[in-house]
Amino acid sequence: MRLICVRGLVPNILDSPEWKELMAKLSGQYQPASADLFRDKFIPQEAVFVRNKQIELLRKEQYLTLTFDGTTIRKPESFYTAHATAPGPPRRTYFLDGHEGTGEHHDKQWITGKLQNTMDSVGIHRWAAGVSDSTNVTKAARRDITQANPTVLDLCDCVHHIQNTIKDITKLEAFQPFIKLLKGILKHFSNSSFSTSKLRDSRNVAGEDTPVKALQKIGKTRFGTYWLACTALDPCLMHIRALVTTKTIKFKNTHVQSLFMNRGSDKYNTFERNLLWYTTIVAPLIRSLWSLEAAHANAADVFIFWLAIAATLKDLFSKGESVTGISTSLANAVTEIYNKRYAEFFQNNIYFVAFILDPRYPLESFLKKPPPTIHIPPPEARRSGVRSFNQYPRAFEKFREYLRQMLQNMLECIANSDDKTVGHPVLREKGPRDCVIDLKHQIDAFWKGEYPFHVSSTENITDSLEWWRRLEKHEHGQVIAILAIKIFSILVNSMPDERTNSTITWLNSPTRGNQTTRTVVDMIQVGQWYGQHNNVSAKYILNLLEWMYLQFSW
């Protein structure tokens, strides 16, 4: 069973003479079970066991993240995957449900009902957030879930949003001639094994230190697919040009052929410039995307990476057209796309609040002070040098209001439930009045950097969630710590569904095109349980990649 579900063994092999011969040699008394028996009985029974074990574990957790996405199999049948991610450490993700919906309209009511059933199976009070991409139907379903359950936060998948930003840049009119030629080049090498072989030989003969990399096809679902194709093509351009000019290879596309035949032409130079411009402009976005795919990326990381993208692009465009060659119109178009996508995404203040709560980042290095006014700070502020409320009034008000609303929703959830396990025990014990008073004092103390929130050095802080968990036990920091822990426990991407979809593609190969949705879901649930969660040698932590401030030379 594990060979089938974890390692992808084709079930029909169990009915082959070779398999039966192998089993007979291993044990003459063993009668091997048929593929049908595994498919119809053993795997479904094991999947029920695995799902019960998952729910048993998740009912011991708090602040779970629900992620979901739609997919199809070859049969064709469609369904929605639903995953639960526990905060850890380390974070662990469980494939809870595959909601079948072939022959049904996947509207927001259908999706909301299915996801509500998934959440109820664990306990609605254990969920912190719902995360998905932002198609019309998934966005509407998230909104309905959070309206029905106010303690569940509504988050758009940060990875898909950056990918959509990259798509917008790729579609700019300035890049269309370049993209058309790029597709023509890659199409030729995709269809010609002769040309591919000659290009590989040419690069090897050149004695390059870096290993020969294959050209990248442009895929429909791969994140940053055009950028990957460009960076793979760039070191090959001079070799392709040599092969074309020596008539070793020839492109059927006359536009591409003339591009490489006339190196000194403006057409070739324009292509090279556009390749450089595109890869340089998209680089900070794709690197941020890769970083935020990490299993333990949090809401503060999202805000920081968007700031890093902005800083990198601003520095690039500030060099001017005389240095970079990037026209003012192209720079303005990219900036407009960034600003539009930024405004769309950060309507949700959780990312800004998480950034404020993250002890790794001193606010004075990031926040913009308001216009100067005549203000005499109180004596204690002058003596201690603490941050005052008047330094960043808009930031402070946004921060305070978000936490106040979070606490209110959590207290109302406790008040409306007779279940003593609902809500944090500290909030239950203190009661609404004391919680509100404590939060006010703790927000003030945190903002001023007073005890117990003083951070002498940020260098030794590597995990913001653990930093707040230590304060959860502190009498003067408990309430704000509970809110911060919830925020930093949330998985900010829906990559669990993307990874499960990759597994679906792998298991549901063309030779297994008759599999049903239920069979595929059962196999993946069993496979992930024994391949990840019940495997002591499995590595659970996916590092959050960090990229330095990008430097460009022209």
Side-chain angles (χ1 to χ4, degrees):
M1 184 186 303
R2 297 189 189 185
L3 284 174
I4 295 172
C5 298
V6 180
R7 300 302 173 190
L9 180 72
V10 179
N12 287 342
I13 288 180
L14 303 182
D15 294 332
S16 66
E18 293 80 7
W19 179 266
K20 293 177 181 178
E21 180 183 354
L22 174 62
M23 294 300 103
K25 289 184 177 181
L26 293 175
S27 174
Q29 298 179 345
Y30 174 67
Q31 296 297 321
S34 67
D36 289 344
L37 196 58
F38 269 90
R39 184 188 66 242
D40 299 334
K41 183 178 179 181
F42 295 154
I43 293 178
Q45 287 179 346
E46 193 67 16
V48 171
F49 166 79
V50 166
R51 192 173 190 286
N52 289 335
K53 290 293 291 183
Q54 288 178 336
I55 292 175
E56 179 185 334
L57 290 173
L58 292 172
R59 283 176 176 171
K60 300 175 183 178
E61 298 282 351
Q62 289 290 343
Y63 308 135
L64 302 171
T65 303
L66 172 73
T67 61
F68 60 96
D69 195 11
T71 188
T72 59
I73 57 174
R74 294 181 185 275
K75 197 163 181 71
E77 293 178 353
S78 58
F79 63 101
Y80 265 75
T81 57
H83 293 76
T85 300
R91 280 184 180 165
R92 298 190 184 186
T93 296
Y94 302 86
F95 178 28
L96 276 183
D97 282 311
H99 295 294
E100 303 173 54
T102 303
E104 301 180 70
H105 291 294
H106 292 181
D107 53 21
K108 70 171 185 175
Q109 289 83 6
W110 185 90
I111 298 174
T112 302
K114 297 295 184 182
L115 296 177
Q116 191 69 50
N117 291 338
T118 297
M119 299 170 77
D120 288 340
S121 66
V122 177
I124 191 63
H125 59 283
R126 300 194 178 278
W127 298 91
V131 183
S132 73
D133 58 16
S134 286
T135 63
N136 290 334
V137 67
T138 54
K139 184 162 57 174
R142 284 201 324 264
R143 184 175 59 247
D144 285 359
I145 288 172
T146 54
Q147 287 176 351
N149 311 285
T151 57
V152 178
L153 304 178
D154 178 2
L155 273 72
C156 165
D157 176 19
C158 61
V159 172
H160 278 88
H161 199 78
I162 294 178
Q163 169 63 10
N164 289 336
T165 308
I166 295 173
K167 281 184 178 179
D168 290 345
I169 295 173
T170 306
K171 291 178 181 177
L172 286 173
E173 187 63 30
F175 287 128
Q176 292 317 295
F178 153 72
I179 293 295
K180 188 175 181 180
L181 289 170
L182 173 68
K183 288 180 177 179
I185 297 169
L186 298 178
K187 181 180 179 180
H188 173 83
F189 283 97
S190 176
N191 295 331
S192 174
S193 58
F194 173 81
S195 296
T196 303
S197 175
K198 290 299 180 182
L199 176 60
R200 186 184 301 113
D201 293 343
S202 174
R203 292 197 64 182
N204 285 332
V205 169
E208 296 183 1
D209 294 332
T210 56
V212 177
K213 295 182 180 179
L215 296 178
Q216 296 288 324
K217 291 183 180 180
I218 296 173
K220 293 181 179 180
T221 59
R222 186 183 303 162
F223 293 142
T225 182
Y226 284 95
W227 189 87
L228 292 169
C230 288
T231 53
L233 175 64
D234 185 35
C236 298
L237 283 177
M238 60 180 294
H239 301 288
I240 296 174
R241 187 176 61 246
L243 291 172
V244 172
T245 53
T246 58
K247 299 183 180 181
T248 305
I249 65 174
K250 182 179 181 180
F251 290 91
K252 292 182 180 179
N253 188 319
T254 56
H255 295 289
V256 176
Q257 180 70 11
S258 64
L259 172 73
F260 289 105
M261 283 296 294
N262 303 298
R263 178 187 177 186
S265 68
D266 184 61
K267 187 176 181 180
Y268 183 85
N269 293 333
T270 300
F271 180 82
E272 275 197 322
R273 286 197 302 269
N274 277 275
L275 180 69
L276 175 61
W277 295 341
Y278 181 81
T279 53
T280 303
I281 290 170
V282 174
L285 288 111
I286 193 66
R287 293 179 189 278
S288 297
L289 185 152
W290 290 337
S291 299
L292 293 172
E293 284 181 338
H296 66 276
N298 61 48
D301 296 323
V302 178
F303 192 77
I304 286 294
F305 276 108
W306 273 88
L307 294 183
I309 293 169
T312 306
L313 293 178
K314 181 179 179 181
D315 180 70
L316 173 65
F317 297 150
S318 67
K319 296 179 188 295
E321 185 174 356
S322 60
V323 176
T324 65
I326 299 174
S327 66
T328 302
S329 60
L330 177 58
N332 289 341
V334 172
T335 302
E336 183 179 350
I337 289 171
Y338 174 90
N339 290 339
K340 176 187 174 183
R341 288 295 183 178
Y342 180 95
E344 286 177 357
F345 191 80
F346 291 102
Q347 291 178 9
N348 189 338
N349 286 330
I350 187 174
Y351 306 100
F352 178 74
V353 172
F355 161 71
I356 297 292
L357 289 169
D358 198 320
R360 297 174 295 173
Y361 306 120
L363 300 185
E364 290 79 3
S365 301
F366 291 87
L367 296 182
K368 183 178 180 180
K369 294 182 180 180
T373 58
I374 298 175
H375 170 67
I376 301 176
E380 61 272 15
R382 293 200 301 270
R383 287 195 303 269
S384 62
V386 298
R387 187 188 309 125
S388 72
F389 306 122
N390 292 325
Q391 272 185 291
Y392 314 104
R394 292 175 58 196
F396 177 74
E397 184 57 33
K398 184 183 293 188
F399 172 68
R400 179 177 62 180
E401 179 58 25
Y402 189 89
L403 294 183
R404 187 197 66 78
Q405 187 61 53
M406 268 189 72
L407 179 63
Q408 179 180 323
N409 291 338
M410 294 170 76
L411 292 174
E412 288 178 355
C413 180
I414 293 173
N416 295 332
S417 177
D418 296 328
D419 187 349
K420 300 300 182 184
T421 64
V422 172
H424 197 285
V426 170
L427 302 184
R428 277 190 164 276
E429 181 181 347
K430 284 180 176 290
R433 180 177 177 276
D434 287 346
C435 286
V436 171
I437 293 173
D438 285 358
L439 178 63
K440 180 182 182 303
H441 293 317
Q442 290 168 23
I443 286 177
D444 292 352
F446 173 80
W447 190 263
K448 294 178 181 179
E450 296 176 345
Y451 176 83
F453 305 105
H454 177 67
V455 178
S456 57
S457 173
T458 61
E459 294 181 359
N460 297 325
I461 302 175
T462 57
D463 191 330
S464 305
L465 178 57
E466 286 304 307
W467 190 84
W468 279 105
R469 278 177 171 165
R470 289 193 292 269
L471 283 171
E472 185 183 17
K473 301 175 183 178
H474 199 290
E475 181 182 358
H476 300 294
Q478 284 181 318
V479 178
I480 191 174
I482 291 169
L483 303 180
I485 290 168
K486 179 176 181 177
I487 289 173
F488 285 109
S489 295
I490 295 171
L491 176 67
V492 291
N493 60 59
S494 60
M495 292 310 296
D497 300 271
E498 296 297 325
R499 296 184 183 106
T500 294
N501 282 338
S502 297
T503 307
I504 291 170
T505 303
W506 174 57
L507 286 177
N508 189 230
S509 63
T511 58
R512 290 180 272 187
N514 286 326
Q515 289 175 328
T516 65
T517 295
R518 191 69 258 162
T519 298
V520 173
V521 170
D522 288 344
M523 289 171 62
I524 294 175
Q525 285 183 324
V526 173
Q528 289 187 358
W529 176 258
Y530 288 107
Q532 300 175 20
H533 303 297
N534 204 35
N535 182 357
V536 295
S537 64
K539 296 181 179 179
Y540 297 108
I541 297 179
L542 177 61
N543 289 332
L544 178 69
L545 304 176
E546 295 181 357
W547 52 283
M548 299 295 292
Y549 192 84
L550 300 179
Q551 299 293 330
F552 301 98
S553 57
W554 300 87

